Structure formats: C-alpha cells, structure tokens
Amino acid sequence: MTTLTTMMAAPDEAGSGLDRAALRQQIVPLLPDPGRLLGDADNLLERGLDSLQIMQLVGRWRRLGASVTFADLVENPTLERWSALLAGEANADTPSAAVQAAVGDDAPFALTDVQHAYWVGRRDDQPLGGVGCHAYLELDGRGVDPGRLETAWRRLVARHGMLRARFDEDGRQRVMPEGAAFSLAVHDLRNLPEVDVAVALLDVRDRLSHRRLDVGRGQVAGLELSLLPGGATRVHVDIDLLVADVHSLSVLLRDLALAHEGAPLPALPVEWSFAAHLAQHAERLAGRRQRDFAYWQAALDDAASGPALPLARRPEEVRCPVFHRRTHRLPADRWARLRETAATHGVTPAMTLAAAFAAILARWSTDARFLLNVPLFDRDLATPGLANVVADFTGLLLLRVDTPGAGGFLEDALALQRRFHADVAHAGYSGVQVLRDLARRPDWTGSGAPVVFACNLGTPLAGPECRAVLGRVGYMISQTPQVWLDHQVYEEDGVLLLCWDVVEALFPA
C-alpha cells in the first residue's frame, strides 16, 4: 500500500478547479471503507469504486470544465492519474456545429450497436430468434386507481420520446409526435373465487410475458391492471428493450408512481433528444476508436467462444424460444459479509459475483476459456437530467474468462478483475462489433457470446416511490434473442437477488 506522502501537497493547477485534495474529498466517501487511508497510487476500482459512481464523477467534473471520459478514468484508476488528467483540462467536450444542428422530431436515425443486435435477433430466420428483447414484470400492491393509472401512462408517453419510437424495416428508428393508441386494460377479478383469480392472473402473465411487440407500428411497451379481492391490485408492465435499459425501467416505474399521485416529475435534460445524444457520443469516441479497434483486433487472436455447456438441444433447432426464470436470494447479513471479505482482498462486489458465475460455468463447460457477455452502464451523466431519461444506453463488453487458476478462487477473481478493467478502458469499440469481426474470420467456428452476466447492483428496479404507490415486484422475466442464459444480479433492501433467465428447451428444469 502506497503511503500518503502527497496528501497535503500544493493544489494542482487544474482547469476544472479540482486539486488532488478536492478529488480525495469527493472520492473517499464513495468507498465502502472510507475510514481506510487512500494512497495516491491505490487502485480505486479495487478499493470498491463502482462504474456508476465513476460515471457520476465524470458528469460532475465535465460540468466543471474537464474533458475526461469514463474510459480515461478506468484505464488507470488512481488518484494520482486522475489528478493529472484533470490538470489543464479547461474545456469540456463541445459537439461540432454539425452535431448541434437541429434534428427533426420524427427524423429517422441509426440504431446503436446493441439495438441493431436486438432488431436483427427478433427476426424469425435467426437462430434462437423470433422474440424481442423484452421485459415483463408485475407489481403487487393495493389501491391503484384505473383512471389515474391510465392518465399517468399517457403522461409518461408524452414525456419520454422513446415510448413513442417506431422502428422501420430498414433498421432505423424515429420518435413520433404522438404515441400508439392506448386504453388501459383492466381485469376486474374482485368477486371471483380464489382459484379463478389465480387462473386469470396466470393467463395474463402467459399472454404478456413473451409477446413480441409490434415496434414497427410504435408498440414498444404495455400496461394492464388487475383488481383483486380485498383491495389488492397487480400492475402488469412489459416493454421492448429497444427503447429502455435496466436503469430506464427503474425511471419508468418511479415516474409512473409519481404521475399516478399527480406529483411533479424529476427534471429532464433541456432540448434533449436520443438522436442528438448518439451523434454527440459518437463524436466524443471518434478519437479513441482506432486505439480501441487495434486493442480488440489483437485480442481476437486469442479469442474463445461462449461457454461449451451441455445443452438438451442444439440452439438452431429451437424455434420461438421460451424463457424460464430461476431465482435465489442471499440474506442481507451474508451478502454484507461477502462484500466485506471481498473488499479486504481488493475485489469489487461485481467482480466477486462475476468470478463466482464464471467458476460455475467453467465447471460445466468443456473448455475453461470462454467469452462472457457483459452489459455496461453507458449513460453520460455530464448532461443534467440524463439520469431521468428512458432510452437504451446499453453497451456490451466481451469479457475473456480463463479459469480456474492454480491459486484458487481469489486468484481467478483478481485476474478477471484486471482483465475487465483493461477491456472496459477500450469499450469504445463495442462487443457487438467484436462479435461481427470474429464471425468474419474463416477459422472461427464459435457460438458467439450467448451467456450474459448483467450486474445491476445499486439500481433497484422498484424504488421507494414505486413501492409506496404501485407495489413491489412480485414477478419478473426477461428474454433476449440469441441468448442461452441471462444471469442478472440486483439488490433489494440489502438482500442480493440472483436471477437466471434461461431458454427452457436448452436447459429444461
């Protein structure tokens, strides 16, 4: 551990107005062990700073005039290096005049790499295709009013442009002035016998949980309400993930609850559009793209494929895949102890769980070297209010796993963490693009990256506003085209929630 020889050094002449002492004051409270001394050369990721916190810091510092990016920070995550990066950075990134030019409200614009993968995968002619990238959830509560809920949903559609999106046959998207026609479906089950209520609710779940929404006609999300005996209610929500990432689901549920109560909604960015945001984001990445491209081309020489798992059927034999969710909860006290133990060894909670998942996959895979598909949080929080937007900001990273090592689980976890930090620093060239490059290689016969590890720690799906008004999440399932197994992790009131959405035909119960 580096000693704190420069803790009281003279302030750096940083254009952002942040000297090293100020950086330390901002960063230390974010760490899981703020009482432990922070050395200038300590790895901040290994000390427990997570990607969401880093994105928030990037946003804060860019608003002060720095031009640092998320990739800049994770490439060398030390206080010493971050201080040097911020020094002399007098101007934040400014979009060019062409990017700043007004974009028509309903002008078509290109899909992101991830959106394009979803859009192609939903076609019937694709292996494990014929389904949308889709999420369905149920909120169990009391006293939800049908009229107020319908009004609230209409308010959200008017507020969030991507809820009015349409996706053309040529693979482009546009935000329409008005959303698709909507009338809240209400299922009045209040006077039915208990057994009939259960059957009716299961019918709704079966109908909504796997449907492929007609995104070409602007059907990107749905909302229904069941009225149950004794004043209980169940809100049914489903959405195509072409228009929303996991954080957006949390925003949507929060806004729906607030709107149901007639409450003010959190501020959105001023004159913001997803099309302009994507153009600005691409321009900011342009300077890094060639470097990141070269990094991944070198990595392809040593690329593996997805885990070689024992499947009940060949994926190409499955038509219209149906997903099944399996869950496990780790009690709050055990999860807290696991986090504390990992922190003492310099492993983040996310990488601890990723390494454990990789170890299980390796036990069942015929090859211990494989690719793990890791979604990345990719919102540029330098824009005030962007945290309140509903859109798909997801990026994908192909994490190369090589396990087990001779040193056991800790060595594997540290090695995986080092690889992740190196890879995420070059995430300007997306995992979707890397997979395309692999598929073009004549000597590559792999399965792509059909196993997903999605870490959503710190992003509760149903926050306090939602739980107080609409209820708690009682059931949820998601599906992704061309994916075998999607492992998701969440936190609920300190409890660790582990979810596996699997293709039933490949992994029968």
Side-chain angles (χ1 to χ4, degrees), residues 44-382:
L44 295 168
L45 295 174
E46 294 178 0
R47 286 289 303 269
L49 200 66
D50 63 39
S51 59
L52 176 59
Q53 292 168 328
I54 294 175
M55 286 300 299
Q56 292 169 337
L57 289 171
V58 168
R60 180 186 303 173
W61 295 340
R62 286 185 56 203
R63 286 194 294 272
L64 291 174
S67 62
V68 293
T69 66
F70 176 82
D72 290 331
L73 298 187
V74 298
E75 186 172 14
N76 196 338
T78 68
L79 188 64
E80 183 177 54
R81 177 57 180 162
W82 288 7
S83 178
L85 284 171
L86 289 167
E89 296 288 357
N91 297 303
D93 295 330
T94 302
S96 67
V99 170
Q100 289 179 340
V103 178
D105 289 342
D106 61 349
F109 58 101
L111 305 178
T112 68
D113 286 342
V114 171
Q115 284 180 308
H116 191 267
Y118 293 164
W119 180 76
V120 171
R122 65 189 291 122
R123 295 184 345 208
D124 291 326
D125 62 351
Q126 295 297 305
L128 287 179
V131 296
C133 190
H134 178 264
Y136 168 77
L137 55 89
E138 298 169 351
L139 299 167
D140 292 326
R142 302 184 63 82
V144 177
D145 179 78
R148 287 158 61 188
L149 188 64
E150 179 171 313
T151 299
W153 184 257
R154 293 181 186 275
R155 184 178 173 189
L156 263 60
V157 172
R159 168 183 172 86
H160 294 293
M162 291 307 291
L163 294 181
R164 306 190 302 275
R166 295 191 180 188
F167 294 80
D168 299 336
E169 292 183 0
D170 60 354
R172 293 172 69 78
Q173 59 190 321
R174 62 177 66 202
V175 175
M176 307 305 292
E178 296 183 358
F182 172 74
S183 178
L184 180 68
V186 180
H187 312 286
D188 191 347
L189 312 177
R190 289 174 291 185
N191 297 317
L192 295 183
E194 182 177 350
V195 63
D196 292 338
V197 169
V199 170
L201 290 176
L202 187 59
D203 285 345
V204 175
R205 179 182 296 177
D206 289 342
R207 176 171 53 83
L208 298 180
S209 61
H210 279 72
R211 67 173 176 164
R212 182 168 47 173
L213 294 165
D214 190 353
V215 298
R217 300 181 64 181
Q219 185 189 43
V220 297
L223 180 72
E224 299 188 9
L225 174 65
S226 292
L227 304 177
L228 308 177
T233 55
R234 174 171 291 178
V235 178
H236 311 264
V237 182
D238 73 309
I239 190 166
D240 195 296
L241 298 179
L242 280 167
V243 302
D245 53 21
V246 173
H247 179 77
S248 295
L249 288 178
S250 179
V251 170
L252 188 70
L253 297 179
R254 179 202 65 195
D255 286 1
L256 186 61
L258 292 173
H260 180 276
E261 300 301 289
L265 300 179
L268 292 173
V270 178
E271 297 182 353
W272 183 91
S273 76
F274 193 43
H277 170 84
L278 294 180
Q280 293 168 13
H281 185 63
E283 187 175 57
R284 284 195 297 269
L285 290 178
R288 311 182 62 92
R289 182 177 174 82
Q290 188 58 40
R291 187 205 70 165
D292 292 353
F293 169 78
Y295 174 88
W296 286 107
Q297 293 309 297
L300 292 183
D301 294 333
D302 189 40
S305 182
L309 301 175
L311 305 178
R313 298 174 63 184
R314 297 171 60 198
E316 53 269 28
E317 296 174 349
V318 179
R319 295 290 180 266
C320 297
V322 175
F323 284 73
H324 174 72
R325 170 161 287 202
R326 301 166 189 175
T327 61
H328 177 75
R329 286 175 169 80
L330 188 66
D333 57 339
R334 294 179 62 187
W335 172 225
R337 288 200 303 271
L338 178 58
R339 292 174 65 113
E340 292 169 2
T341 302
T344 63
H345 294 287
V347 186
T348 67
M351 283 297 102
T352 301
L353 297 175
F357 182 50
I360 297 300
L361 292 174
R363 179 175 179 180
W364 289 95
S365 175
T366 57
D367 189 346
R369 294 175 62 255
F370 52 84
L371 295 175
L372 198 56
N373 195 334
V374 180
L376 296 178
F377 177 85
D378 200 20
R379 288 190 186 224
D380 183 359
L381 296 181

Side-chain angles (χ1 to χ4, degrees), residues 324-331 334-335 338 349-350 352-354 356-357 360 453-457 476 485-492 495-501:
H324 174 72
R325 170 161 287 202
R326 301 166 189 175
T327 61
H328 177 75
R329 286 175 169 80
L330 188 66
R334 294 179 62 187
W335 172 225
L338 178 58
T352 301
L353 297 175
F357 182 50
I360 297 300
F453 175 77
C455 183
N456 303 302
L457 299 179
M476 180 180 177
L485 189 162
D486 186 355
H487 179 38
Q488 305 161 33
V489 297
Y490 302 91
E491 286 177 299
E492 292 181 342
V495 174
L496 178 67
L497 177 61
L498 306 172
C499 305
W500 299 266
D501 290 333

